[in-house]
Amino acid sequence: MASTLSNATLTVTLSESLTLNGANHGSTKKIQIGGVNEVSKRIMTVATGGTQIYAGGAAAAYGTFVTADVKYVRITNLDDTNYIVLHLEGASHYAQIQIAAGHAFFLTDLSSTLDNADAIASYSANDITRIDAMANTAAVDVEIMVASA
């Protein structure tokens, strides 16, 4: 059976709105990510002790994405009070990032969007092998979206 699915372009739009002293300081930026033909989106609860919300590997499996094919990851904290801490791991690095209530964090395939990709490519979406989220005070709902080739 041959797939009838064709690649698509994901458009991510970041819009800022700010009027300060009567002057507009807002802007809108778009990122276009081509070659997307797989998407996963889910809402899940993360515990104060931590919950694995993403896995990357060499082959697709239940809850696991092909690391080299991942083009975009967005994680949104759906809580109105509590922050979460994201723990991101790659083959030779890790980082922890606090995401405030109602805020979002995203990763893209940096090699396709930045001139200096070699210096920071180890933190791109296509290099992360595991993401854990930990709620600070009480369980928190998060939304995760992953787009890949």
Side-chain angles (χ1 to χ4, degrees), residues 38 62 71 81 88-89 92 98 101-102 108 114 119 126 130 148:
E38 293 184 9
Y62 183 75
K71 296 175 173 283
T81 305
L88 296 92
E89 291 184 24
S92 61
Q98 182 174 310
T108 63
L114 296 176
N126 60 14
R130 180 182 177 122
S148 60

Side-chain angles (χ1 to χ4, degrees), residues 93-110:
H93 63 273
Y94 72 91
Q96 291 185 322
I97 301 163
Q98 182 174 310
I99 309 300
H103 289 229
F105 170 79
F106 68 91
L107 290 166
T108 63
D109 173 7
L110 297 175

Side-chain angles (χ1 to χ4, degrees), residues 9-30:
T9 298
L10 169 65
T11 301
V12 179
T13 304
L14 178 62
S15 181
E16 302 163 336
S17 175
L18 175 64
T19 301
L20 188 60
N21 197 30
N24 180 2
H25 295 277
S27 68
T28 299
K29 304 293 182 208
K30 289 186 179 181

Side-chain angles (χ1 to χ4, degrees), residues 39-115:
V39 65
S40 175
K41 186 175 170 183
R42 72 184 285 194
I43 294 173
M44 60 190 299
T45 301
V46 299
T48 56
T51 304
Q52 183 175 356
I53 62 172
Y54 172 92
Y62 183 75
T64 301
F65 302 90
V66 177
T67 305
D69 292 344
V70 175
K71 296 175 173 283
Y72 177 83
V73 177
R74 177 186 47 82
I75 301 166
T76 303
N77 179 351
L78 300 177
D79 202 79
D80 62 0
T81 305
N82 298 298
Y83 68 82
I84 59 172
V85 174
L86 296 180
H87 177 87
L88 296 92
E89 291 184 24
S92 61
H93 63 273
Y94 72 91
Q96 291 185 322
I97 301 163
Q98 182 174 310
I99 309 300
H103 289 229
F105 170 79
F106 68 91
L107 290 166
T108 63
D109 173 7
L110 297 175
S111 63
S112 65
T113 58
L114 296 176
D115 292 335

